[in-house]
Amino acid sequence: MYGEHDDLDPPRPAHFGIPPDALADERPDPRPDEAKRMGLSRHTEEGAVLYFASSLDRGKPGHRMIAWILLVTFAAPALYTLLLLL
């Protein structure tokens, strides 16, 4: 009736919304040292963007395209605001 993946314990809330198994990640951490000191992890909004951008490989054309899209996405509101102020 129960499989090996069934959990017999009642579900409990994760600590600050982070699943317990997420902290036991075996992948290397590509975040810069400053982000680690500030406590930005991939579980926060800003840290998730930083983690994603840090994991891009400049040798792959698809990653370069995503990096340009990210640059335009984050720079466009600032440039638009600057143009409105002039």
PDB file of all heavy atoms in Angstrom, residues 1 13-14 16-18 21 26 30 34 39 44 46 49 56 62 69-71 74-75 77 81 85:
ATOM      1  N   MET A   1       0.817  -1.188   0.000  1.00  0.00           N
ATOM      2  CA  MET A   1       0.000   0.000   0.000  1.00  0.00           C
ATOM      3  C   MET A   1       0.865   1.258   0.000  1.00  0.00           C
ATOM      4  O   MET A   1       0.582   2.196  -0.695  1.00  0.00           O
ATOM      5  CB  MET A   1      -0.912  -0.026   1.215  1.00  0.00           C
ATOM      6  CG  MET A   1      -1.893   1.108   1.219  1.00  0.00           C
ATOM      7  SD  MET A   1      -3.269   0.696   2.248  1.00  0.00           S
ATOM      8  CE  MET A   1      -3.340   2.113   3.249  1.00  0.00           C
ATOM      9  N   PRO A  13       6.059  22.784   7.995  1.00  0.00           N
ATOM     10  CA  PRO A  13       6.585  23.899   7.192  1.00  0.00           C
ATOM     11  C   PRO A  13       8.105  23.880   7.178  1.00  0.00           C
ATOM     12  O   PRO A  13       8.753  23.524   8.159  1.00  0.00           O
ATOM     13  CB  PRO A  13       6.056  25.142   7.910  1.00  0.00           C
ATOM     14  CG  PRO A  13       5.739  24.684   9.288  1.00  0.00           C
ATOM     15  CD  PRO A  13       5.384  23.228   9.197  1.00  0.00           C
ATOM     16  N   ALA A  14       8.657  24.229   6.046  1.00  0.00           N
ATOM     17  CA  ALA A  14      10.114  24.303   5.918  1.00  0.00           C
ATOM     18  C   ALA A  14      10.619  25.559   6.627  1.00  0.00           C
ATOM     19  O   ALA A  14       9.894  26.532   6.802  1.00  0.00           O
ATOM     20  CB  ALA A  14      10.510  24.319   4.451  1.00  0.00           C
ATOM     21  N   PHE A  16      11.840  28.903   6.997  1.00  0.00           N
ATOM     22  CA  PHE A  16      11.819  30.107   6.166  1.00  0.00           C
ATOM     23  C   PHE A  16      11.466  29.809   4.709  1.00  0.00           C
ATOM     24  O   PHE A  16      11.956  30.452   3.800  1.00  0.00           O
ATOM     25  CB  PHE A  16      13.155  30.854   6.220  1.00  0.00           C
ATOM     26  CG  PHE A  16      13.485  31.385   7.579  1.00  0.00           C
ATOM     27  CD1 PHE A  16      14.574  30.908   8.272  1.00  0.00           C
ATOM     28  CD2 PHE A  16      12.705  32.356   8.172  1.00  0.00           C
ATOM     29  CE1 PHE A  16      14.893  31.395   9.522  1.00  0.00           C
ATOM     30  CE2 PHE A  16      13.013  32.839   9.428  1.00  0.00           C
ATOM     31  CZ  PHE A  16      14.106  32.365  10.105  1.00  0.00           C
ATOM     32  N   GLY A  17      10.673  28.789   4.466  1.00  0.00           N
ATOM     33  CA  GLY A  17      10.227  28.487   3.115  1.00  0.00           C
ATOM     34  C   GLY A  17      11.225  27.730   2.270  1.00  0.00           C
ATOM     35  O   GLY A  17      10.995  27.505   1.093  1.00  0.00           O
ATOM     36  N   ILE A  18      12.352  27.328   2.832  1.00  0.00           N
ATOM     37  CA  ILE A  18      13.362  26.581   2.088  1.00  0.00           C
ATOM     38  C   ILE A  18      13.156  25.099   2.372  1.00  0.00           C
ATOM     39  O   ILE A  18      13.124  24.690   3.518  1.00  0.00           O
ATOM     40  CB  ILE A  18      14.789  26.998   2.510  1.00  0.00           C
ATOM     41  CG1 ILE A  18      14.993  28.482   2.247  1.00  0.00           C
ATOM     42  CG2 ILE A  18      15.826  26.169   1.770  1.00  0.00           C
ATOM     43  CD1 ILE A  18      16.292  29.007   2.809  1.00  0.00           C
ATOM     44  N   ASP A  21      15.751  19.542   1.950  1.00  0.00           N
ATOM     45  CA  ASP A  21      16.750  18.895   1.103  1.00  0.00           C
ATOM     46  C   ASP A  21      17.480  19.877   0.193  1.00  0.00           C
ATOM     47  O   ASP A  21      18.460  19.530  -0.437  1.00  0.00           O
ATOM     48  CB  ASP A  21      16.109  17.789   0.269  1.00  0.00           C
ATOM     49  CG  ASP A  21      14.981  18.308  -0.609  1.00  0.00           C
ATOM     50  OD1 ASP A  21      14.488  19.425  -0.341  1.00  0.00           O
ATOM     51  OD2 ASP A  21      14.599  17.594  -1.542  1.00  0.00           O
ATOM     52  N   GLU A  26      24.904  19.316  -3.711  1.00  0.00           N
ATOM     53  CA  GLU A  26      26.278  18.881  -3.957  1.00  0.00           C
ATOM     54  C   GLU A  26      26.972  19.685  -5.053  1.00  0.00           C
ATOM     55  O   GLU A  26      28.144  19.510  -5.292  1.00  0.00           O
ATOM     56  CB  GLU A  26      26.279  17.396  -4.349  1.00  0.00           C
ATOM     57  CG  GLU A  26      25.767  16.486  -3.257  1.00  0.00           C
ATOM     58  CD  GLU A  26      26.673  16.483  -2.039  1.00  0.00           C
ATOM     59  OE1 GLU A  26      27.898  16.602  -2.211  1.00  0.00           O
ATOM     60  OE2 GLU A  26      26.146  16.367  -0.931  1.00  0.00           O
ATOM     61  N   PRO A  30      28.596  28.866  -7.575  1.00  0.00           N
ATOM     62  CA  PRO A  30      29.247  29.830  -8.465  1.00  0.00           C
ATOM     63  C   PRO A  30      29.099  31.278  -8.003  1.00  0.00           C
ATOM     64  O   PRO A  30      29.553  32.179  -8.697  1.00  0.00           O
ATOM     65  CB  PRO A  30      28.508  29.624  -9.792  1.00  0.00           C
ATOM     66  CG  PRO A  30      27.135  29.239  -9.388  1.00  0.00           C
ATOM     67  CD  PRO A  30      27.316  28.423  -8.128  1.00  0.00           C
ATOM     68  N   GLU A  34      31.271  38.186  -2.357  1.00  0.00           N
ATOM     69  CA  GLU A  34      30.462  39.261  -1.776  1.00  0.00           C
ATOM     70  C   GLU A  34      29.023  38.803  -1.562  1.00  0.00           C
ATOM     71  O   GLU A  34      28.401  39.136  -0.567  1.00  0.00           O
ATOM     72  CB  GLU A  34      30.470  40.507  -2.668  1.00  0.00           C
ATOM     73  CG  GLU A  34      31.817  41.177  -2.795  1.00  0.00           C
ATOM     74  CD  GLU A  34      32.678  40.535  -3.872  1.00  0.00           C
ATOM     75  OE1 GLU A  34      32.149  39.788  -4.716  1.00  0.00           O
ATOM     76  OE2 GLU A  34      33.893  40.773  -3.861  1.00  0.00           O
ATOM     77  N   GLY A  39      24.764  36.987   2.317  1.00  0.00           N
ATOM     78  CA  GLY A  39      23.726  36.009   2.590  1.00  0.00           C
ATOM     79  C   GLY A  39      22.768  35.783   1.441  1.00  0.00           C
ATOM     80  O   GLY A  39      21.673  35.275   1.634  1.00  0.00           O
ATOM     81  N   THR A  44      16.635  33.357  -2.420  1.00  0.00           N
ATOM     82  CA  THR A  44      16.116  34.716  -2.331  1.00  0.00           C
ATOM     83  C   THR A  44      15.961  35.249  -3.750  1.00  0.00           C
ATOM     84  O   THR A  44      16.582  34.749  -4.684  1.00  0.00           O
ATOM     85  CB  THR A  44      17.069  35.630  -1.541  1.00  0.00           C
ATOM     86  OG1 THR A  44      18.324  35.688  -2.214  1.00  0.00           O
ATOM     87  CG2 THR A  44      17.283  35.122  -0.125  1.00  0.00           C
ATOM     88  N   GLU A  46      16.867  38.176  -5.214  1.00  0.00           N
ATOM     89  CA  GLU A  46      18.086  38.759  -5.776  1.00  0.00           C
ATOM     90  C   GLU A  46      19.168  37.701  -5.945  1.00  0.00           C
ATOM     91  O   GLU A  46      19.914  37.702  -6.916  1.00  0.00           O
ATOM     92  CB  GLU A  46      18.606  39.882  -4.884  1.00  0.00           C
ATOM     93  CG  GLU A  46      17.665  41.051  -4.745  1.00  0.00           C
ATOM     94  CD  GLU A  46      16.618  40.843  -3.652  1.00  0.00           C
ATOM     95  OE1 GLU A  46      16.664  39.796  -2.962  1.00  0.00           O
ATOM     96  OE2 GLU A  46      15.762  41.716  -3.503  1.00  0.00           O
ATOM     97  N   VAL A  49      18.665  35.467  -9.110  1.00  0.00           N
ATOM     98  CA  VAL A  49      19.126  36.094 -10.360  1.00  0.00           C
ATOM     99  C   VAL A  49      20.651  36.059 -10.416  1.00  0.00           C
ATOM    100  O   VAL A  49      21.246  35.757 -11.450  1.00  0.00           O
ATOM    101  CB  VAL A  49      18.597  37.542 -10.477  1.00  0.00           C
ATOM    102  CG1 VAL A  49      19.210  38.252 -11.666  1.00  0.00           C
ATOM    103  CG2 VAL A  49      17.088  37.539 -10.568  1.00  0.00           C
ATOM    104  N   LEU A  56      26.130  31.103 -15.955  1.00  0.00           N
ATOM    105  CA  LEU A  56      26.217  31.160 -17.414  1.00  0.00           C
ATOM    106  C   LEU A  56      27.658  30.963 -17.874  1.00  0.00           C
ATOM    107  O   LEU A  56      28.596  31.442 -17.238  1.00  0.00           O
ATOM    108  CB  LEU A  56      25.691  32.503 -17.928  1.00  0.00           C
ATOM    109  CG  LEU A  56      24.199  32.754 -17.740  1.00  0.00           C
ATOM    110  CD1 LEU A  56      23.858  34.166 -18.183  1.00  0.00           C
ATOM    111  CD2 LEU A  56      23.377  31.753 -18.492  1.00  0.00           C
ATOM    112  N   GLY A  62      24.247  30.144 -26.655  1.00  0.00           N
ATOM    113  CA  GLY A  62      22.945  30.322 -26.013  1.00  0.00           C
ATOM    114  C   GLY A  62      23.053  31.079 -24.698  1.00  0.00           C
ATOM    115  O   GLY A  62      22.198  31.905 -24.361  1.00  0.00           O
ATOM    116  N   ILE A  69      20.151  39.332 -23.119  1.00  0.00           N
ATOM    117  CA  ILE A  69      18.736  39.560 -22.786  1.00  0.00           C
ATOM    118  C   ILE A  69      18.605  40.059 -21.352  1.00  0.00           C
ATOM    119  O   ILE A  69      17.835  40.984 -21.072  1.00  0.00           O
ATOM    120  CB  ILE A  69      17.921  38.277 -23.023  1.00  0.00           C
ATOM    121  CG1 ILE A  69      17.827  37.997 -24.518  1.00  0.00           C
ATOM    122  CG2 ILE A  69      16.530  38.379 -22.403  1.00  0.00           C
ATOM    123  CD1 ILE A  69      17.214  36.649 -24.859  1.00  0.00           C
ATOM    124  N   LEU A  70      19.369  39.462 -20.428  1.00  0.00           N
ATOM    125  CA  LEU A  70      19.348  39.929 -19.038  1.00  0.00           C
ATOM    126  C   LEU A  70      19.847  41.366 -18.933  1.00  0.00           C
ATOM    127  O   LEU A  70      19.279  42.178 -18.189  1.00  0.00           O
ATOM    128  CB  LEU A  70      20.218  39.019 -18.159  1.00  0.00           C
ATOM    129  CG  LEU A  70      19.613  37.697 -17.733  1.00  0.00           C
ATOM    130  CD1 LEU A  70      20.671  36.849 -17.031  1.00  0.00           C
ATOM    131  CD2 LEU A  70      18.438  37.917 -16.813  1.00  0.00           C
ATOM    132  N   LEU A  71      20.902  41.681 -19.672  1.00  0.00           N
ATOM    133  CA  LEU A  71      21.444  43.037 -19.638  1.00  0.00           C
ATOM    134  C   LEU A  71      20.417  44.046 -20.127  1.00  0.00           C
ATOM    135  O   LEU A  71      20.204  45.090 -19.491  1.00  0.00           O
ATOM    136  CB  LEU A  71      22.714  43.110 -20.492  1.00  0.00           C
ATOM    137  CG  LEU A  71      23.412  44.460 -20.557  1.00  0.00           C
ATOM    138  CD1 LEU A  71      23.945  44.826 -19.178  1.00  0.00           C
ATOM    139  CD2 LEU A  71      24.518  44.431 -21.563  1.00  0.00           C
ATOM    140  N   PHE A  74      17.442  44.440 -17.532  1.00  0.00           N
ATOM    141  CA  PHE A  74      17.717  45.210 -16.324  1.00  0.00           C
ATOM    142  C   PHE A  74      18.155  46.645 -16.623  1.00  0.00           C
ATOM    143  O   PHE A  74      18.003  47.522 -15.781  1.00  0.00           O
ATOM    144  CB  PHE A  74      18.765  44.500 -15.466  1.00  0.00           C
ATOM    145  CG  PHE A  74      18.211  43.284 -14.779  1.00  0.00           C
ATOM    146  CD1 PHE A  74      18.563  42.027 -15.196  1.00  0.00           C
ATOM    147  CD2 PHE A  74      17.316  43.407 -13.736  1.00  0.00           C
ATOM    148  CE1 PHE A  74      18.046  40.903 -14.574  1.00  0.00           C
ATOM    149  CE2 PHE A  74      16.792  42.299 -13.113  1.00  0.00           C
ATOM    150  CZ  PHE A  74      17.155  41.040 -13.532  1.00  0.00           C
ATOM    151  N   ALA A  75      18.697  46.895 -17.806  1.00  0.00           N
ATOM    152  CA  ALA A  75      19.146  48.247 -18.130  1.00  0.00           C
ATOM    153  C   ALA A  75      18.047  49.102 -18.751  1.00  0.00           C
ATOM    154  O   ALA A  75      18.080  50.335 -18.632  1.00  0.00           O
ATOM    155  CB  ALA A  75      20.335  48.183 -19.089  1.00  0.00           C
ATOM    156  N   PRO A  77      14.772  49.716 -17.969  1.00  0.00           N
ATOM    157  CA  PRO A  77      14.033  50.644 -17.096  1.00  0.00           C
ATOM    158  C   PRO A  77      14.874  51.843 -16.653  1.00  0.00           C
ATOM    159  O   PRO A  77      14.365  52.971 -16.573  1.00  0.00           O
ATOM    160  CB  PRO A  77      13.628  49.793 -15.897  1.00  0.00           C
ATOM    161  CG  PRO A  77      13.656  48.405 -16.385  1.00  0.00           C
ATOM    162  CD  PRO A  77      14.731  48.359 -17.425  1.00  0.00           C
ATOM    163  N   THR A  81      13.915  55.684 -17.641  1.00  0.00           N
ATOM    164  CA  THR A  81      13.763  56.705 -16.612  1.00  0.00           C
ATOM    165  C   THR A  81      14.681  57.882 -16.883  1.00  0.00           C
ATOM    166  O   THR A  81      14.295  59.060 -16.726  1.00  0.00           O
ATOM    167  CB  THR A  81      14.050  56.125 -15.223  1.00  0.00           C
ATOM    168  OG1 THR A  81      13.196  54.992 -15.021  1.00  0.00           O
ATOM    169  CG2 THR A  81      13.827  57.125 -14.127  1.00  0.00           C
ATOM    170  N   LEU A  85      13.638  61.883 -17.619  1.00  0.00           N
ATOM    171  CA  LEU A  85      14.117  62.991 -16.810  1.00  0.00           C
ATOM    172  C   LEU A  85      14.782  64.080 -17.632  1.00  0.00           C
ATOM    173  O   LEU A  85      14.876  65.217 -17.191  1.00  0.00           O
ATOM    174  CB  LEU A  85      15.089  62.485 -15.747  1.00  0.00           C
ATOM    175  CG  LEU A  85      14.468  61.614 -14.649  1.00  0.00           C
ATOM    176  CD1 LEU A  85      15.559  61.092 -13.740  1.00  0.00           C
ATOM    177  CD2 LEU A  85      13.448  62.414 -13.873  1.00  0.00           C
TER     178      LEU A  85
END
